[in-house]
Amino acid sequence: MEVVSQNRSFGGEQVVYKHSSNTCACEMTYAVYQPPQAKDGPVPVLWYLSGLTCNHENAMTKGGFQEHAAREGIALVFPDTSPRGENVADDEAYDLGQGAGFYVNATCDPWRQHYRMYDYIVNELYSIIAETQPVQDRHGITGHSMGGHGAMTIAMRNPDKFESLSAFAPIANPTRSDWGRKQLSAYLGDDESTWAQHDSTLLLEEHGWKGDVLIDQGSSDQFLDLLKPEALADTMAKRRQPGQIRIQPGYDHSYFFVQTFAADHVSWHAERLLQ
């Protein structure tokens, strides 16, 4: 485990790590923010999964989460969005390949060797955080866009590992969206029956979620037709799933949107993780 950088932030420490991943068969980078309360003992942890084209650094530097995490006394984990390196398969398009892992375990060539982001988050990095960081066994998860998709599908498939769930403008119904069908067919093949476990609308319809859910979506999001929040809202209503989808007037898909509601999400998770 190599420390890439370490910075003081709101009384806590923002650290970036690099390690050799057995799951992704390449070097991976991730970031952890430890609030000042971690000096006195283990704290709960909130995972943030980023969207297309991002890595660990985007939300770490643009999201504004550290101030709120320091106030609430919870740690933050910022993983990368895909495997990377010269020998890792890639694509010329921004929405496939490096920076676009979609939080699935690829089963098709040329992706299957490295693109195992689901197992990386749920098993390998989850264990590394538990073993190396002063954190409690109390995990929440959130994310933006592709990362919102990842947060929701990972939480609903692993309710034993995550206590709280929220998302910023998630890709809510990828099996019915061009942000989803392209990637799922490339990574998993053309058998659409294998895609359902990576669609939060379908997972919610079949399994529900053990707690409530918080979703923020900008009304002026330029990708609204690709995100399909209405599909998730309809399913929540049909299942009577506790939670809320807040349509925020005038906000787009950028980190300005994420920054604006970061405090709400951190406080919302803290209320559930600090019980």
Side-chain angles (χ1 to χ4, degrees), residues 1-5 14-21 27-33 47-48 55-57 60 76-81 120-121 124-133:
M1 194 70 63
E2 175 188 348
V3 175
V4 177
S5 65
Q14 178 64 68
V15 187
V16 176
Y17 299 93
K18 187 179 292 184
H19 74 111
S20 178
S21 168
E27 196 169 64
M28 296 292 289
T29 304
Y30 66 95
V32 177
Y33 176 72
W47 293 67
Y48 180 97
N55 58 25
H56 70 281
E57 188 174 13
M60 182 184 80
L76 302 168
V77 176
F78 303 101
D80 203 344
T81 57
Y120 177 71
I121 299 294
E124 185 175 21
L125 188 56
Y126 192 98
S127 295
I128 288 172
I129 296 300
E131 293 167 5
T132 63
Q133 299 291 327

Short mmCIF file of all heavy atoms in Angstrom, two decimals, residues 1-5 14-21 27-33 47-48 55-57 60 76-81 120-121 124-133:
data_model
loop_
_atom_site.label_atom_id
_atom_site.label_comp_id
_atom_site.label_asym_id
_atom_site.label_seq_id
_atom_site.Cartn_x
_atom_site.Cartn_y
_atom_site.Cartn_z
N MET A 1 0.85 -1.19 0.00
CA MET A 1 0.00 0.00 0.00
C MET A 1 0.89 1.24 0.00
O MET A 1 1.68 1.44 0.91
CB MET A 1 -0.91 -0.01 1.23
CG MET A 1 -2.04 0.98 1.17
SD MET A 1 -3.28 0.54 -0.04
CE MET A 1 -3.88 -1.01 0.62
N GLU A 2 0.76 2.05 -1.02
CA GLU A 2 1.59 3.25 -1.16
C GLU A 2 0.74 4.50 -0.90
O GLU A 2 -0.36 4.63 -1.43
CB GLU A 2 2.18 3.32 -2.57
CG GLU A 2 2.96 4.57 -2.86
CD GLU A 2 3.36 4.68 -4.32
OE1 GLU A 2 3.24 3.68 -5.04
OE2 GLU A 2 3.77 5.79 -4.75
N VAL A 3 1.25 5.40 -0.07
CA VAL A 3 0.59 6.69 0.16
C VAL A 3 1.03 7.64 -0.95
O VAL A 3 2.22 7.96 -1.06
CB VAL A 3 0.94 7.25 1.54
CG1 VAL A 3 0.34 8.65 1.70
CG2 VAL A 3 0.40 6.34 2.64
N VAL A 4 0.09 8.07 -1.76
CA VAL A 4 0.38 8.97 -2.88
C VAL A 4 0.41 10.42 -2.42
O VAL A 4 1.27 11.20 -2.82
CB VAL A 4 -0.66 8.79 -4.00
CG1 VAL A 4 -0.41 9.76 -5.15
CG2 VAL A 4 -0.66 7.36 -4.50
N SER A 5 -0.53 10.79 -1.57
CA SER A 5 -0.59 12.15 -1.05
C SER A 5 -1.32 12.16 0.27
O SER A 5 -2.13 11.26 0.56
CB SER A 5 -1.28 13.09 -2.04
OG SER A 5 -2.63 12.73 -2.22
N GLN A 14 -6.97 13.94 4.49
CA GLN A 14 -7.35 13.41 3.18
C GLN A 14 -6.13 12.70 2.59
O GLN A 14 -5.11 13.32 2.32
CB GLN A 14 -7.80 14.54 2.26
CG GLN A 14 -8.18 14.10 0.86
CD GLN A 14 -9.39 13.19 0.85
OE1 GLN A 14 -10.49 13.62 1.15
NE2 GLN A 14 -9.18 11.92 0.52
N VAL A 15 -6.25 11.39 2.40
CA VAL A 15 -5.12 10.58 1.96
C VAL A 15 -5.49 9.83 0.69
O VAL A 15 -6.61 9.33 0.56
CB VAL A 15 -4.69 9.56 3.05
CG1 VAL A 15 -3.41 8.84 2.64
CG2 VAL A 15 -4.49 10.26 4.40
N VAL A 16 -4.56 9.77 -0.25
CA VAL A 16 -4.72 8.99 -1.47
C VAL A 16 -3.76 7.82 -1.43
O VAL A 16 -2.58 7.99 -1.11
CB VAL A 16 -4.46 9.85 -2.73
CG1 VAL A 16 -4.54 9.00 -3.99
CG2 VAL A 16 -5.45 11.01 -2.80
N TYR A 17 -4.27 6.64 -1.74
CA TYR A 17 -3.50 5.40 -1.69
C TYR A 17 -3.44 4.75 -3.07
O TYR A 17 -4.35 4.89 -3.88
CB TYR A 17 -4.13 4.40 -0.72
CG TYR A 17 -4.22 4.86 0.71
CD1 TYR A 17 -5.38 5.49 1.17
CD2 TYR A 17 -3.19 4.64 1.61
CE1 TYR A 17 -5.49 5.89 2.49
CE2 TYR A 17 -3.29 5.04 2.93
CZ TYR A 17 -4.44 5.67 3.37
OH TYR A 17 -4.55 6.07 4.68
N LYS A 18 -2.38 3.97 -3.28
CA LYS A 18 -2.22 3.17 -4.49
C LYS A 18 -1.85 1.76 -4.06
O LYS A 18 -1.07 1.56 -3.13
CB LYS A 18 -1.13 3.75 -5.38
CG LYS A 18 -0.99 3.11 -6.74
CD LYS A 18 0.10 3.79 -7.55
CE LYS A 18 -0.29 5.20 -7.94
NZ LYS A 18 0.74 5.83 -8.83
N HIS A 19 -2.45 0.76 -4.72
CA HIS A 19 -2.15 -0.62 -4.35
C HIS A 19 -2.32 -1.53 -5.55
O HIS A 19 -2.96 -1.18 -6.55
CB HIS A 19 -3.06 -1.09 -3.20
CG HIS A 19 -4.47 -1.36 -3.62
ND1 HIS A 19 -5.02 -2.62 -3.65
CD2 HIS A 19 -5.46 -0.53 -4.04
CE1 HIS A 19 -6.28 -2.56 -4.06
NE2 HIS A 19 -6.58 -1.31 -4.30
N SER A 20 -1.74 -2.70 -5.46
CA SER A 20 -1.89 -3.72 -6.49
C SER A 20 -3.16 -4.52 -6.20
O SER A 20 -3.27 -5.15 -5.15
CB SER A 20 -0.67 -4.63 -6.52
OG SER A 20 -0.81 -5.64 -7.49
N SER A 21 -4.10 -4.48 -7.12
CA SER A 21 -5.40 -5.15 -6.92
C SER A 21 -5.38 -6.55 -7.51
O SER A 21 -5.13 -6.73 -8.70
CB SER A 21 -6.51 -4.33 -7.58
OG SER A 21 -7.70 -5.08 -7.65
N GLU A 27 -2.83 -1.98 -11.00
CA GLU A 27 -2.69 -1.03 -9.91
C GLU A 27 -3.94 -0.16 -9.81
O GLU A 27 -4.43 0.33 -10.83
CB GLU A 27 -1.46 -0.16 -10.15
CG GLU A 27 -0.97 0.57 -8.93
CD GLU A 27 0.40 1.19 -9.15
OE1 GLU A 27 0.49 2.09 -10.01
OE2 GLU A 27 1.35 0.78 -8.47
N MET A 28 -4.45 -0.01 -8.60
CA MET A 28 -5.66 0.80 -8.38
C MET A 28 -5.36 1.91 -7.38
O MET A 28 -4.51 1.76 -6.50
CB MET A 28 -6.80 -0.07 -7.86
CG MET A 28 -7.28 -1.13 -8.82
SD MET A 28 -8.11 -0.48 -10.29
CE MET A 28 -9.66 0.11 -9.58
N THR A 29 -6.10 3.01 -7.51
CA THR A 29 -5.95 4.16 -6.63
C THR A 29 -7.29 4.47 -5.97
O THR A 29 -8.33 4.35 -6.61
CB THR A 29 -5.46 5.38 -7.43
OG1 THR A 29 -4.25 5.06 -8.11
CG2 THR A 29 -5.20 6.56 -6.51
N TYR A 30 -7.25 4.86 -4.72
CA TYR A 30 -8.46 5.28 -4.01
C TYR A 30 -8.08 6.32 -2.97
O TYR A 30 -6.90 6.47 -2.61
CB TYR A 30 -9.18 4.09 -3.36
CG TYR A 30 -8.41 3.43 -2.23
CD1 TYR A 30 -8.63 3.79 -0.90
CD2 TYR A 30 -7.48 2.43 -2.49
CE1 TYR A 30 -7.93 3.19 0.14
CE2 TYR A 30 -6.78 1.82 -1.46
CZ TYR A 30 -7.00 2.21 -0.15
OH TYR A 30 -6.30 1.61 0.89
N ALA A 31 -9.07 7.05 -2.47
CA ALA A 31 -8.84 8.09 -1.48
C ALA A 31 -9.72 7.87 -0.27
O ALA A 31 -10.84 7.35 -0.38
CB ALA A 31 -9.11 9.47 -2.09
N VAL A 32 -9.22 8.24 0.89
CA VAL A 32 -9.97 8.15 2.15
C VAL A 32 -9.85 9.47 2.90
O VAL A 32 -8.74 10.02 3.03
CB VAL A 32 -9.43 7.01 3.05
CG1 VAL A 32 -10.18 6.99 4.38
CG2 VAL A 32 -9.56 5.66 2.36
N TYR A 33 -10.96 9.99 3.36
CA TYR A 33 -10.95 11.13 4.28
C TYR A 33 -11.31 10.64 5.66
O TYR A 33 -12.36 10.01 5.86
CB TYR A 33 -11.94 12.21 3.85
CG TYR A 33 -12.01 13.34 4.86
CD1 TYR A 33 -10.96 14.24 4.98
CD2 TYR A 33 -13.09 13.47 5.74
CE1 TYR A 33 -10.98 15.27 5.92
CE2 TYR A 33 -13.13 14.49 6.68
CZ TYR A 33 -12.06 15.38 6.77
OH TYR A 33 -12.08 16.38 7.71
N TRP A 47 -19.28 5.73 1.50
CA TRP A 47 -18.64 5.51 0.21
C TRP A 47 -19.27 6.44 -0.83
O TRP A 47 -20.49 6.56 -0.88
CB TRP A 47 -18.83 4.06 -0.24
CG TRP A 47 -18.13 3.04 0.60
CD1 TRP A 47 -18.41 2.72 1.90
CD2 TRP A 47 -17.06 2.19 0.19
NE1 TRP A 47 -17.57 1.72 2.33
CE2 TRP A 47 -16.73 1.37 1.30
CE3 TRP A 47 -16.35 2.03 -1.01
CZ2 TRP A 47 -15.72 0.41 1.24
CZ3 TRP A 47 -15.35 1.09 -1.07
CH2 TRP A 47 -15.04 0.30 0.05
N TYR A 48 -18.42 7.03 -1.69
CA TYR A 48 -18.91 7.85 -2.79
C TYR A 48 -18.37 7.27 -4.10
O TYR A 48 -17.15 7.25 -4.32
CB TYR A 48 -18.46 9.31 -2.64
CG TYR A 48 -18.96 10.19 -3.77
CD1 TYR A 48 -20.11 10.95 -3.61
CD2 TYR A 48 -18.29 10.25 -4.99
CE1 TYR A 48 -20.58 11.74 -4.65
CE2 TYR A 48 -18.75 11.05 -6.04
CZ TYR A 48 -19.89 11.79 -5.86
OH TYR A 48 -20.36 12.57 -6.88
N ASN A 55 -12.29 9.80 -11.84
CA ASN A 55 -11.49 8.87 -11.05
C ASN A 55 -11.70 9.22 -9.58
O ASN A 55 -12.66 9.91 -9.24
CB ASN A 55 -10.02 8.91 -11.47
CG ASN A 55 -9.41 10.31 -11.35
OD1 ASN A 55 -9.88 11.15 -10.55
ND2 ASN A 55 -8.39 10.58 -12.13
N HIS A 56 -10.80 8.76 -8.71
CA HIS A 56 -10.96 9.01 -7.27
C HIS A 56 -10.90 10.51 -6.94
O HIS A 56 -11.42 10.95 -5.91
CB HIS A 56 -9.83 8.32 -6.51
CG HIS A 56 -8.49 8.96 -6.75
ND1 HIS A 56 -7.75 8.72 -7.89
CD2 HIS A 56 -7.79 9.87 -6.03
CE1 HIS A 56 -6.64 9.45 -7.86
NE2 HIS A 56 -6.63 10.15 -6.74
N GLU A 57 -10.25 11.29 -7.81
CA GLU A 57 -9.92 12.67 -7.47
C GLU A 57 -11.08 13.64 -7.67
O GLU A 57 -11.17 14.66 -6.97
CB GLU A 57 -8.73 13.12 -8.32
CG GLU A 57 -8.16 14.46 -7.92
CD GLU A 57 -6.90 14.81 -8.69
OE1 GLU A 57 -6.61 14.14 -9.69
OE2 GLU A 57 -6.22 15.77 -8.27
N MET A 60 -13.33 14.03 -4.66
CA MET A 60 -12.46 14.40 -3.55
C MET A 60 -12.15 15.90 -3.58
O MET A 60 -12.11 16.57 -2.54
CB MET A 60 -11.16 13.59 -3.62
CG MET A 60 -10.18 13.87 -2.50
SD MET A 60 -8.62 12.95 -2.72
CE MET A 60 -7.78 13.99 -3.94
N LEU A 76 -14.90 9.13 4.69
CA LEU A 76 -15.31 9.07 3.29
C LEU A 76 -14.35 8.18 2.52
O LEU A 76 -13.14 8.22 2.74
CB LEU A 76 -15.29 10.46 2.66
CG LEU A 76 -16.16 11.55 3.30
CD1 LEU A 76 -15.79 12.92 2.73
CD2 LEU A 76 -17.64 11.26 3.07
N VAL A 77 -14.88 7.39 1.59
CA VAL A 77 -14.06 6.59 0.68
C VAL A 77 -14.41 6.98 -0.75
O VAL A 77 -15.58 6.98 -1.13
CB VAL A 77 -14.28 5.08 0.88
CG1 VAL A 77 -13.47 4.29 -0.15
CG2 VAL A 77 -13.89 4.66 2.28
N PHE A 78 -13.39 7.33 -1.54
CA PHE A 78 -13.56 7.69 -2.95
C PHE A 78 -12.79 6.69 -3.81
O PHE A 78 -11.60 6.87 -4.05
CB PHE A 78 -13.02 9.09 -3.22
CG PHE A 78 -13.63 10.20 -2.38
CD1 PHE A 78 -12.95 10.70 -1.29
CD2 PHE A 78 -14.86 10.74 -2.71
CE1 PHE A 78 -13.48 11.73 -0.53
CE2 PHE A 78 -15.41 11.77 -1.95
CZ PHE A 78 -14.73 12.26 -0.85
N PRO A 79 -13.42 5.63 -4.30
CA PRO A 79 -12.72 4.69 -5.19
C PRO A 79 -12.59 5.27 -6.61
O PRO A 79 -13.22 6.26 -6.96
CB PRO A 79 -13.65 3.47 -5.22
CG PRO A 79 -14.68 3.71 -4.15
CD PRO A 79 -14.78 5.19 -3.99
N ASP A 80 -11.77 4.61 -7.42
CA ASP A 80 -11.72 4.92 -8.83
C ASP A 80 -12.95 4.31 -9.51
O ASP A 80 -13.66 3.49 -8.93
CB ASP A 80 -10.42 4.37 -9.45
CG ASP A 80 -10.02 5.10 -10.73
OD1 ASP A 80 -10.87 5.81 -11.30
OD2 ASP A 80 -8.87 4.94 -11.16
N THR A 81 -13.16 4.68 -10.78
CA THR A 81 -14.34 4.21 -11.51
C THR A 81 -14.04 3.02 -12.42
O THR A 81 -14.97 2.47 -13.01
CB THR A 81 -14.92 5.34 -12.37
OG1 THR A 81 -13.90 5.82 -13.26
CG2 THR A 81 -15.41 6.48 -11.51
N TYR A 120 -14.44 -5.58 -6.86
CA TYR A 120 -13.42 -4.72 -6.27
C TYR A 120 -14.02 -3.87 -5.14
O TYR A 120 -13.45 -3.79 -4.05
CB TYR A 120 -12.81 -3.81 -7.34
CG TYR A 120 -11.81 -2.83 -6.79
CD1 TYR A 120 -10.57 -3.27 -6.32
CD2 TYR A 120 -12.10 -1.46 -6.71
CE1 TYR A 120 -9.65 -2.36 -5.79
CE2 TYR A 120 -11.19 -0.56 -6.19
CZ TYR A 120 -9.96 -1.02 -5.73
OH TYR A 120 -9.06 -0.13 -5.19
N ILE A 121 -15.18 -3.26 -5.39
CA ILE A 121 -15.81 -2.42 -4.37
C ILE A 121 -16.35 -3.26 -3.23
O ILE A 121 -16.07 -3.00 -2.04
CB ILE A 121 -16.94 -1.57 -4.99
CG1 ILE A 121 -16.41 -0.63 -6.08
CG2 ILE A 121 -17.68 -0.79 -3.90
CD1 ILE A 121 -15.48 0.44 -5.59
N GLU A 124 -12.90 -6.61 -2.29
CA GLU A 124 -11.49 -6.28 -2.04
C GLU A 124 -11.31 -4.95 -1.32
O GLU A 124 -10.69 -4.89 -0.26
CB GLU A 124 -10.70 -6.28 -3.36
CG GLU A 124 -9.21 -6.06 -3.13
CD GLU A 124 -8.37 -6.18 -4.39
OE1 GLU A 124 -8.93 -6.04 -5.51
OE2 GLU A 124 -7.15 -6.40 -4.27
N LEU A 125 -11.82 -3.86 -1.91
CA LEU A 125 -11.61 -2.57 -1.26
C LEU A 125 -12.37 -2.46 0.05
O LEU A 125 -11.89 -1.85 1.01
CB LEU A 125 -12.02 -1.44 -2.21
CG LEU A 125 -11.66 -0.02 -1.73
CD1 LEU A 125 -10.18 0.11 -1.43
CD2 LEU A 125 -12.10 1.02 -2.77
N TYR A 126 -13.54 -3.06 0.12
CA TYR A 126 -14.32 -3.09 1.36
C TYR A 126 -13.48 -3.70 2.49
O TYR A 126 -13.44 -3.18 3.61
CB TYR A 126 -15.60 -3.88 1.14
CG TYR A 126 -16.64 -3.78 2.23
CD1 TYR A 126 -17.71 -2.89 2.13
CD2 TYR A 126 -16.57 -4.58 3.37
CE1 TYR A 126 -18.68 -2.80 3.12
CE2 TYR A 126 -17.53 -4.50 4.37
CZ TYR A 126 -18.59 -3.61 4.24
OH TYR A 126 -19.54 -3.54 5.24
N SER A 127 -12.80 -4.81 2.18
CA SER A 127 -11.96 -5.47 3.19
C SER A 127 -10.74 -4.63 3.53
O SER A 127 -10.33 -4.56 4.70
CB SER A 127 -11.52 -6.85 2.68
OG SER A 127 -12.62 -7.71 2.52
N ILE A 128 -10.14 -4.01 2.52
CA ILE A 128 -8.97 -3.16 2.78
C ILE A 128 -9.32 -2.02 3.72
O ILE A 128 -8.59 -1.72 4.66
CB ILE A 128 -8.41 -2.63 1.45
CG1 ILE A 128 -7.72 -3.74 0.66
CG2 ILE A 128 -7.42 -1.48 1.69
CD1 ILE A 128 -7.31 -3.34 -0.73
N ILE A 129 -10.45 -1.37 3.47
CA ILE A 129 -10.88 -0.25 4.33
C ILE A 129 -11.11 -0.75 5.76
O ILE A 129 -10.68 -0.12 6.73
CB ILE A 129 -12.17 0.40 3.77
CG1 ILE A 129 -11.90 1.02 2.40
CG2 ILE A 129 -12.72 1.42 4.75
CD1 ILE A 129 -10.85 2.10 2.38
N ALA A 130 -11.77 -1.89 5.90
CA ALA A 130 -12.06 -2.43 7.23
C ALA A 130 -10.77 -2.78 7.99
O ALA A 130 -10.70 -2.62 9.21
CB ALA A 130 -12.95 -3.66 7.11
N GLU A 131 -9.76 -3.25 7.25
CA GLU A 131 -8.53 -3.72 7.89
C GLU A 131 -7.50 -2.62 8.13
O GLU A 131 -6.66 -2.75 9.02
CB GLU A 131 -7.89 -4.81 7.02
CG GLU A 131 -8.72 -6.09 6.94
CD GLU A 131 -8.26 -7.03 5.85
OE1 GLU A 131 -7.23 -6.71 5.20
OE2 GLU A 131 -8.92 -8.06 5.63
N THR A 132 -7.56 -1.54 7.36
CA THR A 132 -6.50 -0.53 7.44
C THR A 132 -6.95 0.82 7.97
O THR A 132 -6.10 1.66 8.28
CB THR A 132 -5.86 -0.30 6.05
OG1 THR A 132 -6.85 0.22 5.15
CG2 THR A 132 -5.31 -1.62 5.49
N GLN A 133 -8.25 1.05 8.07
CA GLN A 133 -8.75 2.35 8.50
C GLN A 133 -9.50 2.24 9.82
O GLN A 133 -10.12 1.21 10.10
CB GLN A 133 -9.70 2.93 7.43
CG GLN A 133 -9.07 3.16 6.08
CD GLN A 133 -8.04 4.28 6.09
OE1 GLN A 133 -8.18 5.26 6.82
NE2 GLN A 133 -7.01 4.14 5.27
#
